[in-house]
């Protein structure tokens, strides 16, 4: 660039010198001297203007080279559109899992289901009927067993959630491994930052998925606690009924058998 500047300046000076020689026919030495001086000043200003433009071009070239070096080192985030693992992470975040709410499980519970539940053969079915001593078959009151069916529904939900979570955890762990491999081979800061964002999302999703198992287990515990509270409530109601019956029996007994509180009569000696 500086060589170009010198060549331009030299060309201008040569042109100026030739113009001066072409005007050697002097008619007025003083006027010619003034004109020549003014002409040289104009040429000097023009040379300075050209030098300023050359300097501006050099500055812009250096800035462009610095920008290109920055983009090469840090990358252009707008050009990185397909980040490894991003679509898979979005899909995982949109997956609600197989778990059901406690209200849904309570609505699914039935007394018949509780009476015939065997937990894959672990327990013995009680059946929906029972046999009296004389051999007569009577249906069981299924409403009395519905509360146990709710716990069984919670337990089955816990197993389903656990199996689902274990499968999803394995997928998430594999995607985390893939993202880390991409991080190791990333060439720009922009790519590295986006991959780190995806990796943070996967770690957060892994913790959320694990929490689903805890939530399903808490539902089992909560339902069992409600059942125990209901049994205690029924027992308290039975005690109150028995107490009322005893009190009523005592009152009836007192009314039927009045105690004579009057003083006994002493027989006279006559």
């Amino acid at each position: 660039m500086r060589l170009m500047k010198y060549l331009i300046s030299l060309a201008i000076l040569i042109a100026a010198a030739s113009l001066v020689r072409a005007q050697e026919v002097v008619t007025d030495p003083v006027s010619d001297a003034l004109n020549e001086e003014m002409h040289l000043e104009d040429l000097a200003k023009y040379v300075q203007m050209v030098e300023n433009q050359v300097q501006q071009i050099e500055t812009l070239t250096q800035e462009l080279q610095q920008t290109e070096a920055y983009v090469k080192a840090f990358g252009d985030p707008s050009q990185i559109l397909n980040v490894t693992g991003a679509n898979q992470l979005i899909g995982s975040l949109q997956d609600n899992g197989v778990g059901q709410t406690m209200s849904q499980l309570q609505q699914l519970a039935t007394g018949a289901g509780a009476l015939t539940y065997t937990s894959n053969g672990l327990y013995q079915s009680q059946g929906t009927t029972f046999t009296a001593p004389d051999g007569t078959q009577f249906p069981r009151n299924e409403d009395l067993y519905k509360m146990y069916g709710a716990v069984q529904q919670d337990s089955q939900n816990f197993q389903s959630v656990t199996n689902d979570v274990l499968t999803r955890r394995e997928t998430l762990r594999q995607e985390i491994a893939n993202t880390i491999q991409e991080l190791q081979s990333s060439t720009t800061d922009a790519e590295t930052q986006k991959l780190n964002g995806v990796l943070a999302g996967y770690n957060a999703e892994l913790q959320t998925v694990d929490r689903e198992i805890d939530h399903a287990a808490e539902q089992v515990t909560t339902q069992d606690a409600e059942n125990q509270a209901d049994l205690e409530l029924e027992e308290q109601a039975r005690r109150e009924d028995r107490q009322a019956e005893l009190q009523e029996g005592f009152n009836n007994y007192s009314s039927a058998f009045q105690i004579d509180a009057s003083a006994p009569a002493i027989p006279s000696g006559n």
Side-chain angles (χ1 to χ4, degrees), residues 39-247:
H39 185 65
L40 291 175
E41 288 179 358
D42 292 339
L43 289 175
K45 291 179 180 179
Y46 182 74
V47 170
Q48 184 62 44
M49 181 185 68
V50 172
E51 289 182 350
N52 291 339
Q53 291 178 345
V54 171
Q55 182 63 38
Q56 290 177 358
I57 292 174
E58 289 182 348
T59 301
L60 292 174
T61 301
Q62 292 176 357
E63 292 177 353
L64 179 60
Q65 291 174 346
Q66 292 174 355
T67 301
E68 291 176 346
Y70 177 87
V71 172
K72 183 178 181 181
F74 293 92
D76 185 356
S78 64
Q79 298 300 317
I80 304 175
L81 302 178
N82 297 320
V83 182
T84 299
N87 292 333
Q88 292 85 342
L89 176 59
I90 293 174
S92 180
L93 291 171
Q94 293 174 341
D95 189 352
N96 295 325
V98 300
Q100 296 175 288
T101 66
M102 191 169 177
S103 176
Q104 291 173 326
L105 295 171
Q106 289 174 341
Q107 292 175 2
L108 292 172
T110 63
L115 289 166
T116 57
Y117 180 72
T118 63
S119 186
N120 298 318
L122 183 62
Y123 307 122
Q124 183 177 357
S125 172
Q126 299 301 315
T128 57
T129 62
F130 68 94
T131 304
D134 61 359
T136 305
Q137 293 283 331
F138 293 96
R140 294 187 185 276
N141 186 353
E142 295 180 1
D143 289 341
L144 298 177
Y145 302 93
K146 190 174 181 180
M147 58 188 299
Y148 304 106
V151 176
Q152 293 164 355
Q153 288 290 335
D154 290 335
S155 177
Q156 290 175 312
N157 179 70
F158 173 78
Q159 292 298 327
S160 297
V161 169
T162 300
N163 294 335
D164 178 64
V165 166
L166 291 178
T167 301
R168 290 162 61 193
R169 285 187 88 259
E170 184 61 29
T171 301
L172 288 171
R173 286 167 58 86
Q174 184 60 49
E175 292 298 337
I176 289 174
N178 294 338
T179 305
I180 292 176
Q181 289 180 350
E182 289 294 325
L183 269 173
Q184 291 176 336
S185 59
S186 63
T187 57
T188 65
D189 182 74
E191 184 181 8
T192 299
Q193 292 297 330
K194 286 196 173 184
L195 287 171
N196 277 327
V198 172
L199 186 61
Y202 271 126
N203 287 324
E205 175 67 358
L206 189 61
Q207 295 178 6
T208 301
V209 169
D210 287 341
R211 186 69 182 85
E212 291 181 16
I213 296 180
D214 297 336
H215 178 67
E218 289 169 358
Q219 288 181 321
V220 179
T221 303
T222 301
Q223 185 63 63
D224 183 63
E226 285 191 0
N227 288 359
Q228 293 299 322
D230 185 72
L231 291 175
E232 292 178 5
L233 184 146
E234 290 181 358
E235 180 60 29
Q236 177 61 35
R238 282 193 293 268
R239 286 196 297 266
E240 185 177 10
D241 291 343
R242 288 194 298 268
Q243 184 177 0
E245 291 174 359
L246 290 174
Q247 184 64 42

